[in-house]
């Protein structure tokens, strides 16, 4: 039997390999946007350098004030470096309002009422008056007020795409300005024209629109030609740790955020704690987040537990532990239902046709998903070979769950190599489940419990299973792995760990592990175990103690085949003599 047990060192990111870089963190250069966002940096540089018929750039990013301010800072530094020789260049002009007419002339001084030196401007929400300015009439006196486009004339304007999609008329007017490179005045009241004709003015500005993929897709549908002519890039939410250079760049990025918040460089023991939490956030040991909002929150929360301005690992651990406790009411109530036997989950003994699967509960309005074990049962009886998915029949199973069920059934039928219909019918169900079940992460557990019921071989209830399978019996990775393992561990821990409990996971999921320290300590002490499997053949011996297929030795496959042969013989004895003879002849 293959040893698939994981060592405790594999349960969290390996921070030791970067320890020599962590010790140099305090002296690391913090201006690193071009390193961690090279694609976006290249696009922003091209926006400023390349003359374009439509000076528009689309950026996929979160639509928050932090992201807009970050883009503004980067573009401002690029503008300053590119336009040192044009520091005195003026755009816009001056409107002279006289009783009978309004005269416009090009800017001669920065003091002119509509003069602009360019620069970079941004807004996460805009209204018509804020964006385009307005014409006011009071006591027969007319005044012109500049808007955001006037202040950005000759420069760059960064806007949230969500704000424009919510106000289509604003977008139509803004589009006309950037395409025609002129600004025209309109009355705010459509029923009343302007009392005087206001001359239009030349306007050239570059526009950056930021939004998520859905907003960008809506914009592309609305403006396909304009979107095709636009520059495109995106704010990369994470960085892959290919080598030490990527880790150094990530540290520089974190330090730059700490510096922007007014914090000194974190202590050396802060980094391993942050890396473990970062791996949980991204779901991968080799991937670290670049989201400035998330990183700022970790720094700020840790600072609340610091007695001075410095933050260390203990501060962050205290912040994370308190946050988990503060947000953990719902998960504790679900756990109590299991411990009080209101939801039946076995963590001791053996049972035929019953297995512990793992699921992730993500309630709307709740900030933290959490893991919960689920009991799957299977009963088998003589029948026509139909496998009944009770969840699907009850309209509680989603399409992906149904797909996983059909895949695992196909593998089993192919493995049995039957010349005729399977003489058994089976019924599989998530016990005490009263809401929709979807996803294929339970298909490995469903396959194992089906084999258990067919072979009459009990399953060890001390082990829980997660993973999906393909038609060749290979185990595929699933999501929410850390929460699933911790959900089962918490139940076992509160019922007392006996050293035989654990979880079977897909081998491809090992890189996604970043478990809580309590689980890691239990694995290190041999009180809890994790097994990583690549195929159904590897999972079944762990659960049943019997191999799936072993030549000349007892195995699960032979047990099922023998049971099928036994049923076929019983059926044959019940047939009339002539049909019994024909059946014997066909077998020959």
């Amino acid at each position: 039997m293959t040893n698939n047990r994981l060592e405790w060192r594999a349960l969290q990111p390996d921070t030791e390999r970067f320890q020599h870089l962590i010790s140099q963190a305090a002296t690391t250069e913090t201006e690193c946007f071009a390193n961690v966002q090279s694609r976006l940096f290249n696009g922003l540089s091209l926006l400023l350098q390349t003359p374009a018929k439509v000076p528009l750039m689309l950026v996929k990013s979160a639509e928050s004030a932090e992201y807009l301010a970050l883009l503004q800072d980067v573009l401002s530094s690029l503008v300053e470096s590119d336009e040192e020789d044009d520091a005195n260049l003026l755009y816009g002009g001056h409107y002279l309002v006289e009783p009978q007419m309004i005269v416009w002339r090009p800017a001669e001084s920065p003091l002119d009422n509509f003069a602009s030196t360019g620069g970079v401007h941004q807004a996460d929400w805009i209204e018509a008056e804020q964006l385009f300015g307005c014409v006011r009439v009071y006591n027969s006196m007319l005044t012109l007020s500049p808007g955001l486009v006037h202040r950005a004339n000759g420069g760059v304007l960064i806007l949230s795409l969500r704000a424009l999609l919510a106000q289509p008329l604003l977008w139509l007017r803004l589009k006309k300005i950037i395409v025609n490179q002129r600004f025209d005045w309109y009355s705010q009241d459509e029923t009343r024209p302007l009392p005087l004709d206001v001359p239009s003015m030349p306007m050239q500005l570059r526009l950056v629109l930021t939004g998520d993929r859905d907003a960008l897709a809506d914009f592309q549908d609305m403006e396909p030609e304009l979107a095709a002519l636009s520059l495109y890039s995106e704010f990369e939410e994470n960085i892959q740790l290919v080598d030490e250079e990527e880790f150094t760049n990530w540290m520089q990025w974190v330090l730059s955020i700490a510096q922007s918040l007014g914090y000194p460089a974190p202590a050396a023991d802060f980094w391993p704690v942050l890396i473990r939490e970062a791996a949980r956030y991204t779901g991968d040991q080799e991937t670290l987040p670049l989201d400035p909002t998330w990183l700022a929150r970790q720094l700020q929360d840790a600072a609340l537990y610091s007695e001075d301005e410095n933050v260390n690992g203990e501060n962050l651990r205290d912040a994370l532990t308190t946050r988990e406790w503060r947000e953990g009411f719902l998960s504790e109530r679900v756990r109590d239902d299991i411990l009080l036997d209101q939801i039946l989950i076995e963590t001791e003994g053996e049972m035929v046709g019953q297995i512990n699967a793992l699921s992730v509960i993500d309630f709307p309005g709740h900030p933290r998903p959490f893991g919960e074990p689920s009991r799957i049962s299977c009963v088998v009886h003589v029948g026509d070979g139909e496998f009944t998915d009770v969840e699907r029949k009850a309209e509680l199973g989603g399409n992906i769950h149904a797909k996983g069920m059909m895949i695992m059934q196909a593998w089993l039928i192919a493995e049995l190599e039957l010349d005729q219909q399977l003489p058994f019918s089976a019924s599989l169900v998530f016990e005490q489940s009263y809401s929709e079940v979807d996803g294929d992460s339970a298909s490995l557990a469903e396959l194992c419990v089906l084999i258990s019921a067919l072979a009459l071989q009990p399953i060890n209830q001390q082990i829980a299973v997660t993973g999906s399978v393909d038609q060749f019996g290979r185990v595929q990775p699933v999501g929410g792995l850390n929460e699933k393992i911790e959900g089962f561990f918490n139940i076992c821990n509160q019922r007392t760990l006996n050293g035989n409990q654990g979880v079977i996971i897909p081998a491809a999921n090992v890189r996604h592990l970043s478990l809580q320290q309590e689980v890691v300590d239990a694995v290190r002490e041999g009180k809890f175990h994790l097994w990583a499997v690549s195929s159904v053949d590897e999972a079944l011996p762990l659960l049943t103690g019997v191999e799936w297929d072993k030549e000349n030795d007892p195995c699960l496959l032979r047990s099922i085949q023998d049971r099928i042969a036994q049923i076929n013989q019983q059926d044959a004895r019940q047939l009339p003599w002539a049909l019994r003879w024909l059946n014997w002849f066909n077998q020959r």
Side-chain angles (χ1 to χ4, degrees):
M1 190 180 296
T2 305
N3 183 12
N4 308 97
R5 186 176 298 174
L6 295 177
E7 294 186 1
W8 64 270
R9 293 179 182 83
L11 309 187
Q12 290 180 336
D14 178 15
T15 59
E16 293 296 326
R17 59 181 173 140
F18 298 121
Q19 196 60 46
H20 63 290
L21 299 175
I22 290 174
S23 62
Q24 304 169 9
T27 60
T28 305
E29 180 61 45
T30 57
E31 295 180 1
C32 58
F33 185 89
N35 293 330
V36 298
Q37 299 290 342
S38 55
R39 294 182 178 89
L40 180 54
F41 186 80
N42 175 263
L44 295 173
S45 301
L46 286 177
L47 178 69
L48 298 177
Q49 297 172 5
T50 306
K53 182 178 179 181
V54 181
L56 173 65
M57 182 173 183
L58 302 174
V59 177
K60 183 266 170 185
S61 75
E63 296 183 65
S64 66
E66 291 82 2
Y67 281 83
L68 293 175
L70 179 61
L71 290 176
Q72 183 180 22
D73 291 342
V74 174
L75 278 167
S76 296
S77 64
L78 288 172
V79 168
E80 290 174 5
S81 61
D82 289 344
E83 297 186 357
E84 291 179 355
D85 298 333
D86 299 327
N88 298 321
L89 190 62
L90 291 176
Y91 301 89
H94 182 80
Y95 278 104
L96 178 62
V97 181
E98 298 180 348
Q100 301 298 324
M101 63 183 300
I102 298 176
V103 179
W104 181 87
R105 60 172 173 77
E108 298 175 354
S109 165
L111 299 177
D112 289 342
N113 54 11
F114 281 82
S116 169
T117 56
V120 182
H121 305 264
Q122 57 92 5
D124 59 348
W125 183 261
I126 37 92
E127 300 290 345
E129 184 175 328
Q130 175 194 1
L131 183 61
F132 302 118
C134 64
V135 182
R136 291 189 174 91
V137 181
Y138 181 73
N139 290 338
S140 301
M141 293 291 295
L142 187 145
T143 58
L144 301 176
S145 299
L148 197 56
V149 293
H150 301 103
R151 293 193 293 274
N153 194 5
V156 182
L157 178 59
I158 309 171
L159 295 177
S160 164
L161 188 52
R162 169 179 48 87
L164 289 178
L165 292 174
Q167 305 173 89
L169 293 180
L170 263 64
W171 163 246
L172 292 176
R173 188 175 176 187
L174 183 59
K175 174 187 173 183
K176 182 179 179 182
I177 292 171
I178 63 172
V179 171
N180 297 335
Q181 297 188 350
R182 293 200 69 82
F183 179 84
D184 296 307
W185 293 91
Y186 298 96
S187 172
Q188 291 177 283
D189 187 348
E190 296 179 357
T191 63
R192 295 183 180 181
L194 293 174
L196 293 175
D197 182 36
V198 183
S200 63
M201 61 180 291
M203 181 168 288
Q204 51 178 319
L205 57 85
R206 290 174 167 83
L207 181 63
V208 177
L209 299 179
T210 68
D212 58 22
R213 295 203 189 280
D214 291 337
L216 291 170
D218 291 340
F219 180 81
Q220 190 175 28
D221 291 339
M222 185 174 66
E223 297 285 353
E225 296 180 359
L226 196 59
L229 294 173
S230 305
L231 282 170
Y232 173 83
S233 190
E234 51 187 270
F235 188 96
E236 298 174 27
E237 296 292 338
N238 51 61
I239 187 170
Q240 299 289 331
L241 296 183
V242 178
D243 53 32
E244 293 184 355
E245 181 181 359
E246 278 73 23
F247 184 78
T248 301
N249 291 336
W250 180 74
M251 290 182 65
Q252 292 175 346
W253 181 249
V254 176
L255 288 171
S256 69
I257 294 172
Q259 186 181 61
S260 68
L261 296 172
Y263 298 130
D269 64 346
F270 177 88
W271 294 97
V273 183
L274 179 63
I275 292 168
R276 287 193 287 270
E277 186 64 18
R280 284 182 70 92
Y281 178 70
T282 62
D284 194 323
Q285 294 181 359
E286 300 297 324
T287 304
L288 297 176
L290 296 173
D291 181 357
T293 305
W294 185 86
L295 290 169
R297 184 188 181 189
Q298 313 315 308
L299 289 163
Q300 291 169 339
D301 285 0
L304 294 175
Y305 291 85
S306 175
E307 297 180 356
D308 50 31
E309 294 183 352
N310 298 300
V311 291
N312 56 39
E314 183 180 358
N315 301 147
L316 184 55
R317 274 192 295 270
D318 291 343
L320 295 174
T321 302
T322 304
R323 186 192 304 167
E324 182 186 2
W325 167 79
R326 189 173 60 248
E327 298 172 353
F329 173 80
L330 192 58
S331 61
E332 287 183 8
R333 298 292 74 79
V334 172
R335 195 182 311 151
D336 288 344
D337 285 341
I338 297 175
L339 296 173
L340 295 172
D341 292 332
Q342 301 306 297
I343 298 176
L344 301 180
I345 299 293
E346 302 289 342
T347 55
E348 297 283 348
E350 296 180 333
M351 184 79 67
V352 173
Q354 179 176 299
I355 195 170
N356 290 322
L358 299 174
S359 57
V360 173
I361 309 299
D362 194 353
F363 279 99
H366 191 269
R368 181 186 292 268
F370 57 91
E372 179 188 24
S374 303
R375 183 164 54 106
I376 298 178
S377 65
C378 176
V379 293
V380 171
H381 54 85
V382 176
D384 58 1
E386 180 185 6
F387 292 163
T388 301
D389 179 3
V390 175
E391 308 300 327
R392 189 70 170 176
K393 289 281 188 181
E395 297 184 354
L396 290 175
N399 293 331
I400 299 176
H401 176 258
K403 177 183 177 182
M405 286 283 292
M406 289 185 283
I407 289 174
M408 66 94 172
Q409 292 169 22
W411 177 84
L412 179 59
I413 296 300
E415 286 285 306
L416 293 174
E417 298 180 344
L418 298 178
D419 296 329
Q420 55 191 357
Q421 184 69 40
L422 181 71
F424 292 103
S425 292
S427 174
L428 290 98
V429 66
F430 277 77
E431 300 287 0
Q432 293 183 281
S433 173
Y434 309 107
S435 58
E436 183 174 346
V437 174
D438 204 2
D440 63 351
S441 64
S443 57
L444 174 60
E446 290 168 326
L447 177 55
C448 292
V449 77
L450 175 59
I451 291 172
S452 167
L454 287 171
L456 296 176
Q457 182 68 37
I459 286 178
N460 187 349
Q461 301 300 298
Q462 300 176 103
I463 300 176
V465 183
T466 186
S468 68
V469 294
D470 65 11
Q471 292 195 122
F472 303 101
R474 294 175 296 208
V475 178
Q476 303 170 137
V478 294
L481 194 69
N482 294 301
E483 290 80 7
K484 290 176 179 178
I485 295 171
E486 289 162 0
F488 188 68
F489 170 82
N490 289 331
I491 297 300
C492 296
N493 189 33
Q494 294 200 25
R495 287 179 172 174
T496 304
L497 295 173
N498 60 21
N500 297 315
Q501 295 146 331
V503 176
I504 294 175
I505 66 171
N509 271 130
V510 173
R511 64 175 294 158
H512 304 142
L513 292 173
S514 185
L515 294 166
Q516 294 172 346
Q517 192 62 42
E518 187 179 15
V519 184
V520 177
D521 293 340
V523 172
R524 178 165 46 192
E525 295 167 8
K527 297 179 179 179
F528 194 75
H529 307 285
L530 290 180
W531 296 272
V533 299
S534 301
S535 66
V536 178
D537 297 0
E538 296 177 5
L540 286 168
L542 294 170
L543 290 164
T544 65
V546 181
E547 298 279 353
W548 166 244
D549 186 9
K550 195 169 185 180
E551 189 175 355
N552 300 325
D553 284 316
C555 62
L556 295 170
L557 178 60
R558 189 161 292 107
S559 297
I560 298 174
Q561 290 171 337
D562 291 346
R563 191 178 179 193
I564 292 172
Q566 192 175 39
I567 291 295
N568 288 335
Q569 289 174 2
Q570 292 176 359
D571 291 344
R573 284 195 294 268
Q574 297 173 2
L575 292 173
W577 180 87
L579 294 179
R580 217 182 309 164
W581 177 84
L582 182 61
N583 185 55
W584 175 86
F585 181 78
N586 289 335
Q587 290 179 354
R588 298 281 294 177

